[in-house]
Each structure stands twice: as C-alpha cells, then as structure tokens.
Amino acid sequence: FDSERKAKRYLIVKDYQNKGDISDLKMQGVYELIPAIKELKTIVLKTKTRQKEVTIQQPITYRCDFTYIKDNVMVVEDVKISPKMLPTEYKLKKKLMRYVHGITIKEVFKPTETI
C-alpha cells in the first residue's frame, strides 16, 4: 500500500468481507475514462506499402483503491486525506467516472468509517 491510511482501510474492509457484510472485494480497479487516440500511418517498405495503427495519445484511466459489492450494488471506494485536499486531477476523474460509467466514488477520509 502506498499509505498507512490505505493499509488500515484494507484491514477494515477485509473484515467486513469476512463477516459477510460485503462481497467480491478487489483492490486497484481500473476504469477507462477517455479511450486512446489512434491513427493509421502508412509505412513504405522496399516492396510494398503497409497501413499500421499507432497510438497518438494514451487512454486516460482512473484507478480506485477498492471495489466491492454491498446490498447488490457495486461500490467504488477511494481513500483520501481530507475533503479540502483533493487533487484537481482526482476531481476531474471523479466527474468523468460519474459521467462515463454512472459510478459515484465513495470517498473515505477516516480508515474506520463504516461501510
């Protein structure tokens, strides 16, 4: 884990799964927000010409901390330090998650928050 806060949260969420309150716990789920931009390039060889698809820009993705199922609903959870210290990039990706996938990210500021 990249922080003690996330490690503590994992132990708590794992305990909820062991008790049967949640299921299908996964870490580091990745969601594509904007697909890669690709173009066809013409490659000239000695005897022939070929078309090759090349990636011009990589996709923009969002990586959450945890996903799990609670009451038959998928929950996407992200552990943060404070509501006042949310990075601008995260705020944008949060909006894109809602717009593209219809998923509202559950932000957790204290590792001991209930599920």
Side-chain angles (χ1 to χ4, degrees):
F1 295 97
D2 59 356
S3 74
E4 187 177 324
R5 181 181 306 269
K6 289 180 186 179
K8 285 180 182 179
R9 182 63 181 170
Y10 172 74
L11 294 175
I12 290 167
V13 175
K14 184 72 173 163
D15 189 47
Y16 275 107
Q17 179 169 276
N18 292 340
K19 290 178 184 175
D21 295 332
I22 65 169
S23 62
D24 202 27
L25 174 63
K26 295 179 184 166
M27 298 186 325
Q28 301 288 310
V30 178
Y31 296 86
E32 185 176 81
L33 301 174
I34 301 174
I37 298 174
K38 300 182 178 195
E39 286 183 356
L40 281 177
K41 293 281 185 179
T42 303
I43 300 171
V44 179
L45 304 171
K46 286 183 180 179
T47 58
K48 58 184 172 181
T49 302
R50 295 179 82 197
Q51 294 285 327
K52 181 179 180 183
E53 186 176 68
V54 294
T55 301
I56 302 302
Q57 290 183 346
Q58 295 297 320
I60 294 176
T61 59
Y62 166 69
R63 183 180 302 273
C64 66
D65 292 324
F66 308 106
T67 62
Y68 51 85
I69 306 292
K70 181 178 191 279
D71 300 328
N72 293 322
V73 175
M74 165 77 89
V75 178
V76 175
E77 190 175 284
D78 209 320
V79 179
K80 296 294 180 197
I81 295 172
S82 162
K84 296 178 182 177
M85 298 180 66
L86 297 175
T88 304
E89 181 179 323
Y90 168 76
K91 290 177 186 177
L92 179 61
K93 288 183 176 187
K94 178 182 173 182
K95 289 179 182 181
L96 283 167
M97 278 290 286
R98 182 88 185 255
Y99 181 76
V100 173
H101 296 288
I103 296 172
T104 301
I105 299 169
K106 178 182 179 183
E107 296 167 342
V108 175
F109 300 107
K110 294 180 183 175
T112 56
E113 282 183 35
T114 59
I115 291 205

